[in-house]
Amino acid sequence: MRERILDKAQELFFRYGVKSVTMDDIAKELGISKKTIYQHFEDKNAMVYAGVEHHFSCDRDIAEQMQNEAPDPIAEMVMTSEMMRQTMAGMNPTAIFDIKRYYPQAWDLFSKYKKEFILEMVKKNLLKGIEMGLYRSTVNLEIMSRLRLEQVEMGLDPYLFPMGKFNPLDTQLELLDHFLRGIVTIEGLNLYEKYITKQLSTPISTMAFFSQKNTY
């Protein structure tokens, strides 16, 4: 039951934003009483925290799998963009900033995850890309890895990119494209353009898109 409640809550939070969804809404969607929800979650704060924790646990597994299976660091970055497409397809961008503004404990979890896990993943990607000659040898790992992290959060900021004017997914993909083009070598650029050409011409639903070594 706890998992059912959490799954439904996350679905509603992603669709409508966190602040606008009430415990009554969740109970109604599940066809259960609000009392049943409170048997598993002390309050909405606890539910949001558990949801963020679960999301990052799944996200960590996927990120590690991509890093292990990608034939090269550029493929890993493009795979990340595809995961972003799938994640954001039905997501209300206000969900992120609702958490930042109204649920500080859950936001602290997000900040910790970003600084302790994602930062290291980006650094590993950059280092491997330099070693393979796909990224410029002059790339500063510390600066560029932090820049990449802040790009993702910045792209979801409704004050910088108002939803009525900017599509959040398009913003994220544009920022990633700009980031990669700024660090690749000529060899890396050629590989990147081959990947994105294939990505645009072939619908992708799984990481199998890049699973074969020596695709190019």
Side-chain angles (χ1 to χ4, degrees):
M1 177 56 72
R2 188 178 190 277
E3 290 181 2
R4 281 187 60 209
I5 294 170
L6 199 56
D7 286 345
K8 179 56 66 175
Q10 285 186 279
E11 177 189 329
L12 295 175
F13 292 158
F14 267 54
R15 190 186 307 167
Y16 301 112
V18 180
K19 190 173 185 294
S20 64
V21 175
T22 66
M23 300 295 251
D24 286 315
D25 293 330
I26 298 168
K28 184 178 179 181
E29 285 284 329
L30 287 168
I32 60 176
S33 69
K34 196 160 61 171
K35 182 179 178 180
T36 302
I37 294 180
Y38 284 119
Q39 289 174 349
H40 297 275
F41 298 96
E42 181 181 353
D43 52 26
K44 189 176 175 183
N45 283 319
M47 180 182 290
V48 172
Y49 186 92
V52 170
E53 191 172 41
H54 175 70
H55 177 77
F56 287 149
S57 176
C58 296
D59 191 64
R60 182 189 298 267
D61 291 341
I62 294 172
E64 289 177 342
Q65 183 182 353
M66 286 194 300
Q67 194 158 69
N68 291 332
E69 294 185 2
D72 58 72
I74 294 178
E76 182 190 341
M77 284 286 194
V78 179
M79 287 159 67
T80 299
S81 75
E82 183 54 34
M83 186 175 76
M84 203 178 291
R85 287 178 193 274
Q86 295 175 24
T87 300
M88 296 183 69
M91 187 181 83
N92 186 326
T94 62
I96 302 296
F97 274 81
D98 281 351
I99 295 173
K100 184 176 183 178
R101 181 177 295 179
Y102 301 108
Y103 301 92
Q105 288 181 316
W107 185 255
D108 286 345
L109 190 64
F110 171 78
S111 299
K112 182 178 179 181
Y113 174 78
K114 184 175 74 168
K115 292 174 183 176
E116 294 182 2
F117 178 70
I118 298 300
L119 183 63
E120 289 307 311
M121 292 289 286
V122 176
K123 283 183 184 178
K124 288 179 183 178
N125 179 282
L126 295 179
L127 181 59
K128 188 175 180 180
I130 291 171
E131 291 172 347
M132 294 179 67
L134 300 175
Y135 299 154
R136 292 183 289 104
S137 61
T138 54
V139 168
N140 186 304
L141 297 180
E142 294 296 330
I143 293 175
M144 298 309 290
S145 57
R146 283 168 170 75
L147 172 63
R148 180 64 199 132
L149 288 190
E150 295 310 313
Q151 279 185 330
V152 174
E153 188 173 334
M154 180 178 69
L156 294 170
D157 190 331
Y159 299 104
L160 289 174
F161 300 100
M163 284 184 289
K165 189 174 181 180
F166 298 94
N167 178 291
L169 177 58
D170 291 342
T171 302
Q172 290 292 341
L173 296 178
E174 187 71 22
L175 290 172
L176 176 60
D177 181 74
H178 181 272
F179 177 82
L180 280 174
R181 290 181 184 278
I183 64 172
V184 292
T185 60
I186 293 177
E187 181 185 352
L189 178 61
N190 290 335
L191 185 60
Y192 174 56
E193 290 186 337
K194 287 177 181 178
Y195 281 150
I196 59 175
T197 298
K198 184 175 181 181
Q199 184 185 35
L200 291 172
S201 64
T202 308
I204 313 170
S205 58
T206 69
M207 289 186 290
F209 181 81
F210 292 109
S211 62
Q212 293 184 353
K213 306 290 183 181
N214 304 318
T215 303
Y216 295 106

